[in-house]
Amino acid sequence: MSRRAILMCFVVVPAALAAAAYWYVRGPFVAREVPILMYHHIEYPAADMWVVPPADFEAQMRQLKENGYETILPADLAAYAHRRGSLPRKPVIITFDDGSLSVKKVAQPILKRYGFRAIVYIVTGATADSAERRRQVDGYDCLTWPEILEMRETGIFAFGGHAVHHRQGVLTTNAAAEIEGCYRDIVAKGGFAPDSFCYPYN
């Protein structure tokens, strides 16, 4: 065996053993299917397809609980994908688009009752500094920054971005400004950095 071949053995074999040990310790990555339930408004009356009556929402949460589901957040799923965390046996993600006030008033106590967590995607241009200046999206009252901070402290909710404005084609005209502006608004007004962004349906 030549000197070069011997040298290659000293380099390649330990590297191969290290890789094998790494694989043994961490194990193979297992792809998981995680259902994501998207809601908007939880209130009466069910005026359109974006509204779920409170009784129906509670029945759905009860069914999830009875069937052994545990809620996770998008951050948990990302951590699992990067092999920095694990998932429960039956994970589910619950999301709320638009940052509706009904999430706090109606959905929060129901989620708390079943030990569930959820993420709310807020439209920062429709998020006011106080209840007196409350704004709306599509005719529905939105959360304010103080309410968002209060909800975060419960541990039930995380918050992500849903653009600065909520209007038809907003992301087709200037997506960068909408996404970056939304992020900056949350950092400035909420005092935290969102870890996920949900594109508005329109």
Side-chain angles (χ1 to χ4, degrees), residues 10-11 29 56 65 131 153 199:
F10 277 110
V11 174
F29 177 77
D56 291 354
K65 190 71 173 182
E153 290 178 358
Y199 284 84

Side-chain angles (χ1 to χ4, degrees), residues 72-196:
I72 65 170
L73 299 175
D76 300 319
L77 185 58
Y80 176 76
H82 290 90
R83 307 178 77 170
R84 293 195 300 264
S86 60
L87 295 179
R89 187 175 63 87
K90 297 180 73 173
V92 62
I93 295 176
I94 298 173
T95 74
F96 294 91
D97 284 2
D98 300 352
S100 171
L101 177 61
S102 68
V103 177
K104 181 180 189 298
K105 294 176 65 176
V106 184
Q108 180 170 311
I110 295 174
L111 292 169
K112 182 178 180 180
R113 190 173 302 134
Y114 293 98
F116 287 165
R117 297 181 297 164
I119 186 164
V120 184
Y121 290 105
I122 56 177
V123 180
T124 57
T127 306
D129 292 328
S130 66
E132 292 73 24
R133 298 183 177 182
R134 193 180 304 280
R135 301 167 191 164
Q136 295 185 334
V137 166
D138 296 334
Y140 294 96
D141 285 345
C142 293
L143 295 165
T144 64
W145 289 113
E147 289 166 343
I148 288 170
L149 296 178
E150 179 186 334
M151 291 167 69
R152 286 188 80 234
E153 290 178 358
T154 67
I156 298 173
F157 294 102
F159 289 83
H162 198 46
V164 177
H165 306 97
H166 193 280
R167 57 174 180 259
Q168 189 72 28
V170 67
L171 291 182
T172 61
T173 54
N174 197 344
E178 287 291 325
I179 296 170
E180 293 170 5
C182 181
Y183 182 92
R184 287 195 301 268
D185 287 346
I186 294 175
V187 171
K189 294 285 190 175
F192 62 93
D195 56 25
S196 62

